[in-house]
Amino acid sequence: MVKRSRQTAAALRRRLGGPLMAAASALLLVAAVPTSAHAASGQLTYIRADTGTVDAFFNPPNDVCLQIPGGAVRLGNDTDATVFVYPDPSCSQGWDLVGVGAQWDAPTGTAAQSVRLGSTG
């Protein structure tokens, strides 16, 4: 009777070992993926400083520095995230915040060069 129990337990470990390892690995992978790169819903529209035309980012990623082609003299935040506005292309010199549903105008003679969406600038 003891031998049968040991054999059954060993067989059970062999049968479940592969699927359990796969499930554990998948769980670890999901837990390791950062959540900060989720996209904001909506669009961030802007008036280009170089051409005066309207352009937009659709569902832009959060917590990623986005360079603004041509620079922006006006931004409209129709996303579900706060927008951090920067005067440089590397999002390193903090400048201004644009709340959800708000609009931003650049000071005369300047243009925004990059933005970052999310909860931290």
Side-chain angles (χ1 to χ4, degrees), residues 16 22 44-45 56 78 101:
L16 294 179
L44 178 65
T45 57
D78 293 317

Side-chain angles (χ1 to χ4, degrees), residues 2-3 6 21 25 31 33 42 46 50 56 59 65-66 77 81 91 113:
V2 173
K3 284 186 178 180
R6 284 184 185 162
M21 289 299 291
S25 297
V33 173
Y46 62 96
D50 61 349
N59 299 320
C65 183
L66 301 172
N77 182 8
C91 295
Q113 299 298 317

Side-chain angles (χ1 to χ4, degrees), residues 6 13-14 29 32 39 66 77-78 81-82 85-86 94 107 109 116:
R6 284 184 185 162
R13 279 194 301 270
R14 279 194 301 273
L29 181 61
L66 301 172
N77 182 8
D78 293 317
T82 300
V85 182
Y86 300 90
R116 181 184 309 269

Side-chain angles (χ1 to χ4, degrees), residues 6-50:
R6 284 184 185 162
Q7 288 176 349
T8 304
L12 184 60
R13 279 194 301 270
R14 279 194 301 273
R15 282 198 315 253
L16 294 179
L20 284 177
M21 289 299 291
S25 297
L27 183 60
L28 286 173
L29 181 61
V30 168
V33 173
T35 58
S36 62
H38 291 293
S41 295
Q43 66 182 13
L44 178 65
T45 57
Y46 62 96
I47 296 177
R48 292 178 64 125
D50 61 349

Side-chain angles (χ1 to χ4, degrees), residues 59-107:
N59 299 320
N62 281 333
D63 299 324
V64 174
C65 183
L66 301 172
Q67 290 186 2
I68 302 172
V73 293
R74 176 176 282 174
L75 293 168
N77 182 8
D78 293 317
T79 71
D80 60 358
T82 300
V83 175
F84 295 82
V85 182
Y86 300 90
D88 65 295
S90 62
C91 295
S92 62
Q93 301 172 10
W95 196 3
D96 219 342
L97 297 173
V98 184
V100 174
Q103 183 173 303
W104 175 87
D105 290 308

